[in-house]
């Protein structure tokens, strides 16, 4: 899906995996955190430093109609069969017009953890109600 095609009022988070984008209504867990280390130096003063980045768990909710297909369905099915399908994922928060990203998170070594579909209809269109992925590291870009 082209990012500009996302209805702005509803689907403002666009998630891209292997060039295939799906718009979602909400996202949580998009945060950057680091482990911390505390120690006393030679003079007895406390020093705090950051360590490695903490792993992420990101939840995306209410995907656009027809979202559970193609690259996404293959990625989920492969992970369920034990395949090691780590991907780079980008998640962009779009402006109100749906045309320009405000913030983009890049998640490295992401894997699908959970996926659920909205009530299924007989018309063959399935959308994500919830999609959870885990990742090893993220970077944030403000546009």
């Amino acid at each position: 899906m082209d990012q500009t095609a996302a209805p702005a009022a509803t689907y403002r988070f666009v998630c891209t995996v292997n060039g295939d984008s799906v718009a979602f209504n909400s996202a949580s867990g998009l945060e950057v955190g680091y482990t911390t280390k505390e120690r006393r130096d030679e003079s007895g003063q406390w020093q705090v430093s950051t360590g490695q980045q903490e792993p992420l768990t990101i939840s995306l909710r209410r995907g656009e109609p027809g979202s559970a297909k193609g690259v996404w369905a293959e990625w989920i099915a492969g992970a369920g069969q034990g395949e090691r399908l780590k991907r780079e994922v980008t998640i962009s928060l779009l402006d109100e017009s749906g045309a320009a990203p405000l913030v983009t998170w890049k998640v490295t070594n992401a894997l699908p953890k959970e996926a659920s579909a909205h009530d299924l209809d007989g018309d063959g269109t399935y959308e994500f109600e919830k999609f959870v992925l885990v990742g090893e590291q993220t970077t944030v870009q403000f546009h």
Side-chain angles (χ1 to χ4, degrees), residues 21 25-27 34 46 61-62 77 79 83 89 95 102 123 129:
S21 297
N25 180 269
S26 67
Y34 298 92
W46 279 105
R61 293 191 179 274
R62 292 179 295 284
E83 294 181 28
V89 174
D95 65 8
L102 300 172
D123 63 1
E129 178 62 27

Side-chain angles (χ1 to χ4, degrees), residues 13-30:
F13 290 92
V14 176
C15 185
T16 304
V17 176
N18 283 2
D20 192 8
S21 297
V22 172
F24 290 87
N25 180 269
S26 67
S28 63
L30 294 168

Side-chain angles (χ1 to χ4, degrees), residues 102-122:
L102 300 172
V103 183
T104 299
W105 294 265
K106 291 183 182 180
V107 182
T108 57
N109 294 328
L111 286 169
K113 179 180 177 183
E114 177 184 338
S116 61
H118 190 63
D119 294 337
L120 303 177
D121 294 327

Side-chain angles (χ1 to χ4, degrees), residues 17 56-60 72 74-80 82-89 107-115 131-137:
V17 176
L56 308 161
T57 300
I58 299 168
S59 296
L60 301 162
W72 289 76
E74 293 169 12
W75 191 36
I76 293 165
E83 294 181 28
R84 305 287 298 168
L85 299 173
K86 293 183 178 180
R87 302 282 189 254
E88 182 172 305
V89 174
V107 182
T108 57
N109 294 328
L111 286 169
K113 179 180 177 183
E114 177 184 338
F131 183 78
V132 179
L133 59 96
V134 292
E136 293 178 5
Q137 186 174 10

Side-chain angles (χ1 to χ4, degrees), residues 12 25 34 36 39 45 56 66 77 88-89 91 97 99 103 105 115 128 130 138 143:
R12 290 188 57 197
N25 180 269
Y34 298 92
T36 57
R39 67 176 184 89
Q45 299 293 319
L56 308 161
E88 182 172 305
V89 174
I91 302 169
S97 71
V103 183
W105 294 265
F128 289 115
K130 180 178 178 184
T138 189
H143 303 280

